[in-house]
Amino acid sequence: MIHILVVDDDCKLNQTVCNYLNDCGFQAKGVLDAEAAYDEMYNNLYELIISDIMMPEIDGFEFAQTVRQLNKNIPILFMSAKDDIPSKQKGFQLGIDDYMVKPIELAELEMRVRALLRRANIEMERRLVVGNLELDADGMTAEVGGEEIMVTTREFNILYKLLSYPKKTFSRAQLMDEFWGLQSETSLRAVDVYITKLRDKFSVCDGFEIKTVRGLGYKAVLL
């Protein structure tokens, strides 16, 4: 299932786009502003973002710029009433992948979404390749140099999360909340145990390291 994040403060349009994309076989989630989008991206994995430009507090330009700093590869499609060349030029300079002018045709939106996913090579499967490591999010499998490394679901999810946002530090509490649940009575030390397991299991990987950020938590650093 391909997950799509729709960021637009027009509630009706947002819901219409999400419903249409869901009917097309995607799993679309709508939020009304950039801050809510950051929270969604922080806690969930998305394969594509559709964003308006004119939004309160943080506009689409700033939002796209921040997303690109965190993730260089995720496709971003602007969906905006701004039809001027400078706006389009600025968007593409910031790293967006496509631009549609409102009012949009939903059938055309679907075609553009599928084209962007094909270009990103994630239409049929969600894979993350870092050096000699390949993670398959649908099969929940990890391979190093073509050989499968046995991992638990929690180990896989933690590693996938860290590698999806390289250089971003995640605190122990954040990882605990997401992968153990808010109501968990497990100690934060459990996170340290899992990180140690991941370091041991993937010590032969040549594309990344899991670094400890003292007093904060952990982050993945690409080599």
Side-chain angles (χ1 to χ4, degrees), residues 52-53 59-66 78 82 86-87 90-91 94:
D52 189 12
I53 293 178
D59 66 17
F61 294 126
E62 183 179 348
F63 172 61
Q65 184 176 30
T66 300
F78 267 177
K82 295 174 75 66
S87 293
K90 183 175 181 179
L94 290 173

Side-chain angles (χ1 to χ4, degrees), residues 149-168:
I149 304 295
M150 300 306 297
V151 291
T152 66
T153 298
R154 186 171 287 150
E155 288 171 347
F156 180 93
N157 286 335
I158 293 173
L159 183 60
Y160 199 100
K161 184 73 171 187
L162 292 174
L163 290 176
S164 294
Y165 299 93
K167 296 185 179 180
K168 180 177 178 61

Side-chain angles (χ1 to χ4, degrees), residues 75-92:
I76 302 173
L77 186 156
F78 267 177
M79 182 176 65
S80 174
K82 295 174 75 66
D83 193 19
D84 59 288
I85 293 298
S87 293
K88 296 177 181 178
Q89 184 179 42
K90 183 175 181 179
F92 283 108

Side-chain angles (χ1 to χ4, degrees), residues 5 67 79 129 144 180 199:
L5 183 61
V67 170
M79 182 176 65
V129 178
V144 176
W180 276 262
R199 284 171 171 162

Side-chain angles (χ1 to χ4, degrees), residues 36-203:
Y38 294 144
D39 290 339
E40 274 297 320
M41 294 180 66
Y42 195 74
N43 293 307
N44 301 285
L45 297 173
Y46 287 93
E47 283 76 41
L48 184 141
I49 296 171
I50 298 172
S51 175
D52 189 12
I53 293 178
M54 295 179 289
M55 297 186 292
E57 302 298 330
I58 299 172
D59 66 17
F61 294 126
E62 183 179 348
F63 172 61
Q65 184 176 30
T66 300
V67 170
R68 271 292 166 261
Q69 292 171 349
L70 297 173
N71 189 324
K72 295 181 179 179
N73 299 316
I74 187 169
I76 302 173
L77 186 156
F78 267 177
M79 182 176 65
S80 174
K82 295 174 75 66
D83 193 19
D84 59 288
I85 293 298
S87 293
K88 296 177 181 178
Q89 184 179 42
K90 183 175 181 179
F92 283 108
Q93 287 175 341
L94 290 173
I96 71 165
D97 300 275
D98 204 351
Y99 194 115
M100 293 186 70
V101 177
K102 297 177 181 177
I104 64 167
E105 291 286 344
L106 292 172
E108 181 182 359
L109 175 64
E110 179 195 356
M111 289 187 289
R112 288 177 182 251
V113 164
R114 292 191 184 280
L116 289 173
L117 291 171
R118 282 196 299 272
R119 291 175 205 159
N121 197 30
I122 53 178
E123 172 81 73
M124 299 306 295
E125 55 191 359
R126 295 189 295 158
R127 294 182 182 273
L128 194 157
V129 178
V130 180
N132 60 350
L133 169 68
E134 181 173 322
L135 297 177
D136 182 341
D138 288 325
M140 300 292 285
T141 58
E143 293 184 358
V144 176
E147 296 187 9
E148 184 171 355
I149 304 295
M150 300 306 297
V151 291
T152 66
T153 298
R154 186 171 287 150
E155 288 171 347
F156 180 93
N157 286 335
I158 293 173
L159 183 60
Y160 199 100
K161 184 73 171 187
L162 292 174
L163 290 176
S164 294
Y165 299 93
K167 296 185 179 180
K168 180 177 178 61
T169 298
F170 292 90
S171 70
R172 291 174 177 83
Q174 288 167 338
L175 293 172
M176 176 66 71
D177 287 347
E178 180 168 356
F179 300 116
W180 276 262
L182 290 170
Q183 304 304 317
S184 175
E185 296 181 0
T186 305
S187 165
L188 290 178
R189 292 291 299 171
V191 177
D192 300 330
V193 172
Y194 271 77
I195 293 296
T196 298
K197 290 180 180 179
L198 289 173
R199 284 171 171 162
D200 289 341
K201 288 186 176 184
F202 297 95
S203 60

